[in-house]
Amino acid sequence: MEDCCRGSLLSLLPSLFLLLQLFLTPMSVSTEEFVVIGPSDPIVAMLGGDITLPCRVSPAMNVENMELRWFRSKFSEAVFIYQNQQEQREEQLAQYTGRTSLVKDFLIQGEAAVRIHNVQAFDNGLYTCFFRKGSFYEEASLELRVAGVGSGPQVHIQGPEEDGVRVVCMASGWFPKPQVQWRALSGEKFLTFSETHAQDPEGLFSVEAALVVRDSSSGNVTCSVLNPILGQKKGMAIFIPEPFFPQTSPWKPAFLVILTVLTLLLLGAAFYIKREHTTKCREMQEWEKLHREKEEDQQTKKEALKGRGKAGQRPRQARVAAAWRKARLYAGLASLATLSAVSVTLDPESAHPRLAVYDENTSVTWKDMTEGMEEETCSVLGHDGITSGCCYWEVEIRNGGKSDWVLGVCRGDVERKGWYVELPKKGFWVVGKYDDKFCALLETEVSLGKVPHRVGVFLDLKEGDVSFYNMADGSHMFSFSLASSSGTLFPYFRLKPGDVSLTICSVLGGPVETPVPLNNSPSLEELVSLSGQGFSSGSGVDAALPGAEAPLLLCSPEALSP
Ligand SMILES: *[C@@H]1O[C@H](CO)[C@@H](O)[C@H](O)[C@H]1NC(C)=O
Ligand SMILES: *[C@@H]1O[C@H](CO)[C@@H](O)[C@H](O)[C@H]1NC(C)=O
């Protein structure tokens, strides 16, 4: 500033020097020194109003003839110039043209002030007042603060957002930059909201502040815009009706959290249990299935016994199913090498003299056709006694419809001389044809329907029962419960005079050897696990299952030929 002063002064130097010579020398006026004093505090001016920027010299002296100048940051940015007792307009900044005047009332007392009319935002800032008398000059700084209160805020609901309602507050025409506050009805301040400011060409500020109200109990929400210089504020309240809020109860988030945690826990538990269970299940599955089948089978037998011939009334499907279970058991057994050699043969020594045992001890028929022997019961036993385990054989009955016959098992110690009855209490568990009826022999005869052509006998000493199957269709016909003290059992066959013959069918493909009862045979369960197939469907066991038309066992060729 001083540089530029000096610059301009330098150009004037020669003329000034002459002037000084002219004035000072004859009048012998001594140069007086002074200081310029401005207001110590900033001057606040209202937008659009008038303001004076006063300065004075000290000691007080007449400043009418001094050069007085108010400028902004640079000497050249003149706001007002007073020289030679006149206002000079050449150097004045365009923004102040027509808006400035000098307050001349106290020039004699050393006080000068510039009045600015219609204060603008532009007028805000620092000023310097400059006083010069001759070659001596002094200056002082002063600050003008412009303040303007703009429009009152306008608040409106913009819409739902996230978990609340977005409200926006707008105000304009403020100077300087206003402060915005959001308050709830309770007076509590909202601390977080977004705020944007803009300045118009005249330098005035507009503000836009957005708030998301999450608590529907906030009631009225107030937006206040504050002028920080004046401390003046304008506000507006808005009432946000309940329906504007998203329908969220405070319990909902808590509930969701609890639900999520519970779900995770349940899933975890379920996964753990399932994994534990799966391994156990796999181990137990075969056992369980086996057990179930056995139980069902026992049930079948019980019902058969209870029903005493009502078997015919049972649904055919159930009977077939039960029978096939046993048949499958046996098929599983038969597939094992240990059983392939098993066959039942007749013991000719045990045969009644009137019976003929033939065809390698597998068939029996009536030999002596002479009359008068009807009073005797003529029977033959299997070669080997059975003491434990399971044993199965099939018997083909030829001309079975014409004369009576009986087959089954009997105790080894039964009396077979003369005439005797074949009842369980006497040690006989048999089915057969009596007087044109096919029946099981209990205390009373239990009719079993049509006379079969092929009967399967399944002796299970482990379970203590003997079951009879009609091998034409695989259906279960009858089961006896054996007395626990049955002792050794033998296959039993009995004929009455006639064409009838009974033939034991040989084991499939196996050689007909000495009959071997399944004395030390492994238990069913062991056999099943040995075979590695269990009862699972689609296994080799099923594949080897004979159909109803395909009997398990082959009868000897001679027996099959008529
Ligand atoms: C809430 O504001 C509305 C105007 O938006 C006003 O009419 C009402 O009286 C106010 N309620 C309270 C409790 O301040
Ligand atoms: C039939 O049984 C008799 C007497 O037990 C025996 O001597 C004979 O070898 C047996 N025949 C066959 C083929 O097994």
Side-chain angles (χ1 to χ4, degrees):
M1 207 175 296
E2 275 184 68
D3 284 348
C4 65
C5 282
R6 211 164 276 147
S8 57
L9 285 172
L10 274 173
S11 59
L12 293 166
L13 212 61
S15 52
L16 273 173
F17 199 71
L18 280 173
L19 266 168
L20 283 171
Q21 288 281 315
L22 284 169
F23 273 90
L24 298 176
T25 312
M27 292 169 77
S28 72
V29 176
S30 64
T31 308
E32 288 175 87
E33 295 193 355
F34 57 87
V35 292
V36 178
I37 300 166
S40 54
D41 292 329
I43 300 159
V44 175
M46 293 298 290
L47 269 176
D50 294 351
I51 192 72
T52 53
L53 305 177
C55 286
R56 63 185 174 87
V57 292
S58 174
M61 63 182 73
N62 190 348
V63 294
E64 272 179 327
N65 295 312
M66 287 190 192
E67 179 192 338
L68 310 176
R69 182 189 284 254
W70 281 259
F71 59 86
R72 300 295 298 260
S73 51
K74 290 186 205 160
F75 188 78
S76 58
E77 292 174 345
V79 174
F80 187 85
I81 302 165
Y82 176 81
Q83 235 176 1
N84 305 325
Q85 300 190 345
Q86 279 183 22
E87 183 184 347
Q88 304 291 325
R89 294 209 174 104
E90 291 80 23
E91 295 178 55
Q92 193 181 34
L93 286 175
Q95 286 93 334
Y96 293 95
T97 305
R99 288 205 294 132
T100 54
S101 60
L102 185 68
V103 181
K104 297 175 179 173
D105 303 348
F106 305 103
L107 288 180
I108 296 161
Q109 288 117 340
E111 287 184 28
V114 158
R115 172 163 286 150
I116 301 174
H117 310 278
N118 187 21
V119 169
Q120 306 291 298
F122 169 83
D123 301 340
N124 188 69
L126 286 172
Y127 290 76
T128 304
C129 56
F130 172 94
F131 286 60
R132 180 169 70 190
K133 184 174 184 184
S135 63
F136 184 81
Y137 60 88
E138 198 53 66
E139 62 186 28
S141 291
L142 55 120
E143 186 185 354
L144 176 62
R145 286 195 187 163
V146 177
V149 176
S151 67
Q154 294 297 312
V155 184
H156 65 268
I157 296 170
Q158 202 173 56
E161 173 162 324
E162 290 167 23
D163 50 346
V165 181
R166 187 184 179 83
V167 285
V168 174
C169 171
M170 289 191 293
S172 59
W174 290 71
F175 195 92
K177 192 188 281 183
Q179 291 169 1
V180 181
Q181 271 181 2
W182 283 101
R183 278 174 192 277
L185 185 62
S186 55
E188 174 203 358
K189 279 187 200 170
F190 291 102
L191 296 177
T192 52
F193 55 89
S194 66
E195 193 178 347
T196 54
H197 296 270
Q199 231 175 337
D200 65 12
E202 291 173 1
L204 302 181
F205 287 92
S206 58
V207 65
E208 186 175 322
L211 171 76
V212 176
V213 182
R214 294 191 167 80
D215 185 1
S216 58
S217 65
S218 297
N220 280 5
V221 171
T222 307
C223 172
S224 302
V225 180
L226 172 79
N227 186 307
I229 294 170
L230 303 173
Q232 283 184 21
K233 67 178 173 187
K234 288 186 174 178
M236 184 190 171
I238 189 165
F239 177 72
I240 308 169
E242 182 79 30
F244 277 80
F245 289 91
Q247 297 304 307
T248 52
S249 101
W251 290 106
K252 200 174 170 188
F255 177 72
L256 281 177
V257 167
I258 290 167
L259 196 72
T260 310
V261 168
L262 276 179
T263 308
L264 287 175
L265 281 175
L266 279 175
L267 281 176
F271 178 75
Y272 179 77
I273 289 166
K274 189 176 190 297
R275 207 181 51 180
E276 290 285 299
H277 200 68
T278 308
T279 45
K280 270 185 193 163
C281 255
R282 265 193 217 120
E283 289 167 16
M284 293 301 292
Q285 219 161 19
E286 282 175 30
W287 291 104
E288 275 176 14
K289 195 164 180 180
L290 187 65
H291 213 71
R292 201 167 53 239
E293 301 228 351
K294 269 173 68 179
E295 275 174 5
E296 281 171 11
D297 193 50
Q298 276 178 339
Q299 187 65 28
T300 307
K301 288 173 193 165
K302 264 187 212 158
E303 280 170 14
L305 286 171
K306 224 196 282 179
R308 291 196 171 191
K310 286 179 198 158
Q313 292 161 19
R314 289 179 62 207
R316 180 189 150 83
Q317 215 178 352
R319 278 185 289 131
V320 171
W324 273 110
R325 267 197 299 283
K326 201 109 193 185
R328 280 167 73 185
L329 277 179
Y330 186 71
L333 298 172
S335 70
L336 294 171
T338 51
L339 283 172
S340 62
V342 172
S343 66
V344 172
T345 54
L346 300 172
D347 178 12
E349 320 240 304
S350 70
H352 190 275
R354 305 196 80 172
L355 297 180
V357 173
Y358 63 102
D359 195 17
E360 296 183 319
N361 301 346
T362 61
S363 296
V364 60
T365 190
W366 193 258
K367 183 167 64 180
D368 191 346
M369 304 299 276
T370 54
E371 301 289 317
M373 298 294 287
E374 281 82 27
E375 295 308 307
E376 281 197 61
T377 308
C378 306
S379 63
V380 60
L381 300 180
H383 185 272
D384 286 299
I386 302 153
T387 53
S388 66
C390 304
C391 196
Y392 175 82
W393 62 95
E394 279 179 31
V395 182
E396 176 145 303
I397 304 105
R398 307 256 258 57
N399 300 324
K402 290 180 184 163
S403 52
D404 290 2
W405 51 272
V406 160
L407 62 87
V409 293
C410 69
R411 272 205 312 262
D413 59 354
V414 290
E415 185 61 49
R416 297 191 293 123
K417 293 262 165 28
W419 185 88
Y420 56 91
V421 291
E422 298 143 323
L423 290 175
K425 66 179 178 191
K426 300 278 185 186
F428 295 88
W429 296 270
V430 294
V431 296
K433 179 175 170 289
Y434 286 100
D435 309 328
D436 298 327
K437 273 193 299 179
F438 176 61
C439 52
L441 300 188
L442 278 148
E443 297 303 318
T444 59
E445 292 170 2
V446 176
S447 176
L448 299 178
K450 242 177 76 186
V451 177
H453 297 293
R454 185 187 273 243
V455 172
V457 184
F458 191 95
L459 175 62
D460 186 349
L461 286 175
K462 202 164 185 296
E463 300 289 337
D465 62 41
V466 59
S467 300
F468 296 89
Y469 297 89
N470 183 346
M471 295 318 290
D473 59 4
S475 63
H476 173 263
M477 296 189 301
F478 197 78
S479 289
F480 289 96
S481 261
L482 301 170
S484 53
S485 56
S486 299
T488 305
L489 295 179
F490 285 84
Y492 175 81
F493 309 85
R494 192 258 285 172
L495 295 177
K496 278 202 167 180
D499 267 351
V500 67
S501 73
L502 304 175
T503 300
I504 300 166
C505 303
S506 67
V507 170
L508 223 151
V512 180
E513 289 174 1
T514 315
V516 179
L518 312 177
N519 278 351
N520 295 315
S521 64
S523 70
L524 276 183
E525 289 85 348
E526 284 163 344
L527 288 172
V528 165
S529 59
L530 270 175
S531 74
Q533 302 287 355
F535 295 124
S536 56
S537 57
S539 70
V541 173
D542 275 359
L545 240 179
E549 298 76 25
L552 280 170
L553 305 177
L554 286 176
C555 294
S556 53
E558 288 85 354
L560 286 171
S561 58

